[in-house]
């Protein structure tokens, strides 16, 4: 009596063709089922899975990757110090979204920090060896050389927010301009008029767009923009504290603050309390990100919610599309996609 077990008709390990024959479908359909493609009917998927179980077929991922000149690995590169990555909820939420999107694939995710010159040099050598199929770049600064390096190496990449309005790489971002407008319009609707803004790092395009949104919302409401009410921050708690202290020294009559991140807002709150200012009675406060920090602050922080986990998932979708496209990167320039997701203001007691 013939038995199948872990061997196919050839006597060796079962092949994809044998699984297809047993299931009564084509080889490509079997491949789609094995790779988790949604473009397969439930009945067909069940037939293929039954054939795989009967024959004991095991996908040879290493051979498939080698034949396709693939590594089945993606790098999430963070050009920031590790301390910032673990201190700011933005990064953990992004990682959560990326991980969720990859969970149904056979791709491995590598987390790489490149916050120092030494780490960047080591990363450049690693990437030059083409050990990953693609790269996700998070928190990219305007002068960051990594995107250009990836283009030179012909490695597909997606970044979390463009470096400028002339960005050529695929990117996924939230509507920084619109989110800032929402924050300022909310404060204006609460009767505030001396509204200050603590920026993020201004070599980050998203931070620049938040400043633009702040300025335009003030102008549209008939208020002249006082540049002295804009203080540079760096997305950190200490940066928020320093900026708020400087603003209070220059403008003790400030009655509202829009901070470029929740972490920055927490530093601003500390400075306001040290100065004896009540929130929101004396100074209303709004942050950005709608992270756990916003919900746990006292009083709870009004914040602009950007869908960070969704951004991570969309970045993976774009990157896998780029990886599957075999054309040279330079030939895809006009087809590059920049995706912008909507924001939402979440009102709480701080404003």
């Amino acid at each position: 009596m013939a038995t199948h077990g872990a061997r196919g008709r050839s006597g060796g390990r079962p092949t994809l063709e044998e699984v297809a024959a047993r299931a009564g479908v084509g080889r490509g359909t079997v491949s789609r089922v094995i790779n988790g493609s949604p473009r397969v009917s439930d009945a067909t998927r069940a037939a293929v899975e039954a054939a795989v179980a009967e024959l004991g077929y095991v996908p040879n991922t290493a051979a498939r990757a080698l034949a396709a000149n693939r590594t089945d690995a993606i790098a999430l590169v963070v050009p920031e110090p590790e301390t910032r990555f673990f201190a700011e909820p933005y990064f953990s939420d992004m990682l959560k979204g990326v991980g969720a999107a990859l969970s149904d694939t056979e791709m491995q995710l590598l987390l790489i920090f490149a916050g120092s010159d030494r780490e960047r040099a080591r990363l450049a050598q690693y990437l030059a060896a083409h050990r990953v199929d693609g790269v996700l770049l998070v928190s990219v600064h305007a002068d960051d050389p990594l995107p250009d390096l990836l283009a030179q190496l012909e490695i597909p990449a997606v970044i979390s927010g463009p470096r400028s309005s002339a960005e050529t790489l695929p990117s996924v971002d939230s509507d920084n301009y619109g989110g800032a407008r929402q924050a300022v319009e909310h404060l204006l609707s609460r009767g505030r008029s001396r509204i200050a803004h603590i920026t993020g790092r201004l070599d980050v395009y998203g931070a620049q767009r938040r400043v633009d949104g702040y300025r335009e919302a003030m102008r549209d409401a008939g208020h002249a923009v006082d540049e002295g009410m804009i203080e540079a921050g760096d997305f950190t708690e200490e940066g928020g504290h320093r900026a708020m202290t400087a603003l209070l020294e220059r403008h003790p009559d400030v009655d509202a603050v829009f901070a470029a991140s929740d972490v920055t807002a927490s530093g601003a709150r500390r400075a306001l309390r040290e100065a004896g200012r009540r929130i929101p009675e004396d100074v209303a406060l709004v942050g950005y990100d709608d992270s756990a920090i916003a919900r746990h602050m006292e009083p709870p922080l009004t914040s602009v919610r950007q869908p960070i986990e969704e951004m991570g998932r969309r970045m993976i979708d774009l990157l896998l599309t780029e990886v599957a496209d075999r054309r040279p990167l330079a030939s895809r320039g006009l087809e590059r996609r920049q995706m912008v997701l909507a924001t939402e203001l979440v009102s709480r007691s701080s404003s």
Side-chain angles (χ1 to χ4, degrees):
M1 181 174 65
T3 60
H4 292 285
R7 293 183 178 274
R9 287 192 294 268
S10 62
R13 58 185 294 163
T15 66
L16 202 66
E17 288 77 8
E18 288 170 344
V19 172
R22 172 60 63 92
V25 299
R27 186 180 188 279
T29 300
V30 174
S31 180
R32 282 194 291 275
V33 171
I34 290 172
N35 289 307
S37 171
R39 297 185 295 113
V40 181
S41 71
D42 291 341
T44 298
R45 187 181 305 280
V48 171
E49 289 173 349
V52 166
E54 290 172 15
L55 292 174
Y57 175 75
V58 178
N60 188 345
T61 55
R64 185 168 69 246
L66 183 62
N69 194 26
R70 295 256 303 267
T71 65
D72 281 346
I74 285 174
L76 174 63
V77 177
V78 183
E80 300 282 357
E82 291 182 41
T83 51
R84 186 183 170 202
F85 179 90
F86 291 108
E88 296 187 26
Y90 173 88
F91 294 107
S92 59
D93 288 346
M94 178 67 72
L95 183 59
K96 192 182 302 181
V98 168
L102 283 179
S103 63
D104 292 331
T105 75
E106 295 178 357
M107 290 284 191
Q108 296 184 44
L109 180 66
L110 308 176
L111 177 60
I112 300 175
F113 297 101
S116 68
D117 290 341
R118 181 179 179 183
E119 288 173 335
R120 287 169 186 270
R122 190 164 59 235
L123 174 61
Q125 291 180 338
Y126 185 83
L127 294 175
H130 288 269
R131 293 177 178 171
V132 295
D133 293 326
V135 172
L136 301 174
L137 276 173
V138 180
S139 188
V140 182
H141 303 162
D143 59 351
D144 198 317
L146 286 175
D148 292 334
L149 172 64
L150 291 166
Q152 292 170 11
L153 294 173
E154 288 279 308
I155 297 176
V158 176
I159 59 179
S160 63
R163 290 166 290 172
S164 72
S165 60
E167 182 58 69
T168 56
L169 287 176
S171 67
V172 179
D173 203 1
S174 72
D175 183 4
N176 293 289
Y177 174 84
R181 287 191 62 101
Q182 288 175 313
V184 177
E185 288 167 357
H186 169 78
L187 290 168
L188 290 165
S189 74
R190 293 290 198 267
R192 310 295 171 136
S193 59
R194 299 290 295 159
I195 303 173
H197 176 43
I198 301 176
T199 77
R201 287 189 55 159
L202 292 177
D203 59 349
V204 174
Y205 185 61
Q208 297 170 25
R209 293 298 288 155
R210 292 176 199 179
V211 177
D212 293 341
Y214 162 84
R215 288 193 177 109
E216 289 303 309
M218 293 295 287
R219 290 192 186 106
D220 288 350
H223 296 280
V225 176
D226 181 350
E227 294 297 322
M229 294 287 275
I230 301 174
E231 184 68 22
D234 57 6
F235 291 120
T236 69
E237 181 178 355
E238 282 307 311
H241 182 270
R242 286 193 303 270
M244 191 72 250
T245 300
L247 283 166
L248 287 171
E249 289 175 356
R250 284 202 309 271
H251 296 285
D253 59 342
V254 62
D255 64 7
V257 178
F258 163 47
S261 74
D262 293 344
V263 176
T264 296
S266 69
R269 181 194 63 162
R270 181 158 55 92
L272 287 167
R273 288 189 164 176
E274 289 170 357
R277 306 299 175 88
R278 298 170 301 165
I279 303 171
E281 292 85 356
D282 301 323
V283 180
L285 184 61
V286 174
Y288 202 105
D289 287 336
D290 190 38
S291 64
I293 289 173
R295 298 187 292 276
H296 296 150
M297 277 177 60
E298 182 55 44
L301 180 68
T302 295
S303 185
V304 177
R305 175 182 295 163
Q306 57 174 340
I308 301 171
E309 288 188 38
E310 178 65 16
M311 288 163 62
R313 289 192 289 269
R314 297 291 185 92
M315 287 179 71
I316 285 293
D317 290 344
L318 276 180
L319 185 59
L320 293 181
T321 299
E322 290 288 306
V323 169
D325 191 336
R326 297 305 184 86
R327 292 173 300 163
L329 293 182
S331 69
R332 306 182 223 166
L334 295 177
E335 299 173 26
R336 298 255 186 239
R337 284 178 286 173
Q338 277 86 40
M339 191 176 295
V340 179
L341 306 184
T343 58
E344 175 190 358
L345 184 91
V346 180
S347 180
R348 298 191 179 92
S349 306
S350 69
S351 60

